[in-house]
Amino acid sequence: MKTGFIGLGHMGSAMAANLVKAGHDVTVFNRSPAKRRALLELGANEATRVADACRGDVVITMLADDTAVADVALGDDGIVGNLPRGAIHISMSTISVALSKKLAHAHAEIGQRFVAAPVFGRPDAAAAAKLFIVAAGDPTAVEACKPLFDALGQKTVPISAEPTAANLVKLSGNFLLAAAIEALGEAIALVGKAGIDRRSYVDLLSSTIFPAPAYKTYGGLIADGKFQPAAFVAPLGYKDIRLALAAAETLRVPMPLGSLLHDRFLRLLAQGGERLDWAAIGGLAAQDAGESTFSR
Ligand SMILES: NC(=O)c1ccc[n+]([C@@H]2O[C@H](COP(=O)([O-])OP(=O)(O)OC[C@H]3O[C@@H](n4cnc5c(N)ncnc54)[C@H](OP(=O)(O)O)[C@@H]3O)[C@@H](O)[C@H]2O)c1
């Protein structure tokens, strides 16, 4: 498919590369031009303006946050102003329910289509085309995107005709991941301070009562105190908890654990954790116990 791809960060660079490798005709844009180079070498076309990435059947955004997506989609000379009628904007970033609703309206008003398709999986899963994609929007539009989703992930789950549903499901999933990271951090601090080998402890749990990828991945990072280089930076994790709490406030759903996680991220960021992986909130419990947690 003739596809524009906007946002070549940790996730987007790997995803755009997989679209090129699958034979799609991909035009890439990134705010910082240097990140476009590797994709051009793979065979992608270069867009030097957002508008030039909006000439095909589809444009995908994989940007940091609401501000970035709103700037690129709704700003002067943005996606809404340039995408042809009938073409599809697939928003794959983790953004707020409120912005997703606004984008759906803005595109529908001028006859464009909007699909929300946030993803589960870190950059290594993106590079291996093993993402899980949660897709929502008009079913014919979601179906039309299938060749692209197939090149990006191992499974796509269409969840609703209402785009905001995918964003809410993604935010709830990241809330659960952050809760698992905090719980793992506390448990590992407990056994670690008692002198039990942290790695063996994580291997035991993740091969018996918690055989889940999240426990394996994050348990390993916490046990090793390995929070750099970041695959998913802490400020973006903090953003997701804030967005989950904003949705909870709108729906009047108390989430006391969510509020606790909000403060855990705030503490990490206040103490210089800006460049660490979000798994570093799992190192705070050991610090509270008087142990050093970094690069053990
Ligand atoms: N990393 C993960 O494990 C992971 C997993 C699932 C979902 N996600 C979600 O996927 C999205 C991307 O994450 P990532 O880890 O790839 O982030 P990242 O490496 O920080 O990349 C962010 C991208 O957004 C661009 N950007 C930021 N602000 C912008 C603005 N105001 N205008 C235009 N472009 C802007 C950056 O451009 P520059 O290069 O110019 O800075 C870069 O291309 C986020 O919504 C994140 O929550 C991440």
Side-chain angles (χ1 to χ4, degrees), residues 16-283:
N18 282 333
L19 293 179
V20 175
K21 288 179 201 157
H24 295 288
D25 176 0
V26 183
T27 299
V28 294
F29 176 83
N30 193 68
R31 179 181 60 177
S32 313
K35 289 187 194 162
R36 299 176 204 155
R37 203 166 306 131
L39 270 298
L40 304 186
E41 279 163 18
L42 264 184
N45 312 301
E46 181 174 23
T48 53
R49 305 177 310 143
V50 168
D52 294 333
C54 298
R55 310 269 181 243
D57 315 302
V58 167
V59 64
I60 295 175
T61 47
M62 193 52 172
L63 296 157
D65 54 18
D66 273 31
T67 305
V69 177
D71 279 359
V72 165
L74 304 169
D76 292 344
D77 219 18
I79 296 173
V80 170
N82 287 283
L83 199 64
R85 284 177 73 84
I88 304 171
H89 173 194
I90 311 177
S91 166
M92 304 194 78
S93 320
T94 308
I95 58 168
S96 69
V97 169
L99 179 59
S100 181
K101 196 171 183 174
K102 195 170 172 181
L103 289 169
H105 282 146
H107 285 298
E109 263 186 357
I110 49 173
Q112 300 160 345
R113 298 186 285 172
F114 178 68
V115 170
V119 303
F120 289 111
R122 286 159 63 90
D124 54 346
K130 295 276 186 209
L131 295 171
F132 295 106
I133 300 168
V134 185
D138 170 48
T140 57
V142 172
E143 184 59 27
C145 300
K146 194 170 176 301
L148 300 174
F149 294 150
D150 288 349
L152 295 173
Q154 58 180 303
K155 186 172 182 180
T156 299
V157 182
I159 193 95
S160 170
E162 183 56 58
T164 53
N167 303 98
L168 188 61
V169 167
K170 169 61 189 169
L171 292 172
S172 75
N174 273 20
F175 158 74
L176 271 175
L177 285 173
I181 291 169
E182 171 65 21
L184 279 162
E186 293 182 22
I188 292 169
L190 179 68
V191 299
K193 194 167 184 186
I196 294 166
D197 183 72
R198 296 172 174 87
R199 254 291 168 179
S200 307
Y201 173 73
V202 169
D203 290 345
L204 163 74
L205 287 182
S206 62
S207 62
T208 54
I209 52 175
F210 292 112
Y215 276 76
K216 215 177 271 286
T217 301
Y218 291 113
L221 293 176
I222 296 165
D224 295 347
K226 189 169 173 4
F227 304 126
Q228 292 187 82
F232 182 47
V233 288
L236 291 185
Y238 178 50
K239 172 241 335 166
D240 293 349
I241 295 303
R242 284 191 290 112
L243 297 183
L245 287 173
E249 196 174 321
T250 304
L251 290 163
R252 293 284 184 267
V253 178
M255 294 179 74
L257 246 179
S259 301
L260 180 147
L261 291 167
H262 175 275
D263 275 18
R264 279 314 226 184
F265 277 108
L266 205 49
R267 179 180 156 202
L268 180 70
L269 297 177
Q271 296 183 355
E274 294 278 338
R275 301 174 78 88
L276 299 179
D277 195 275
W278 76 324
I281 63 158

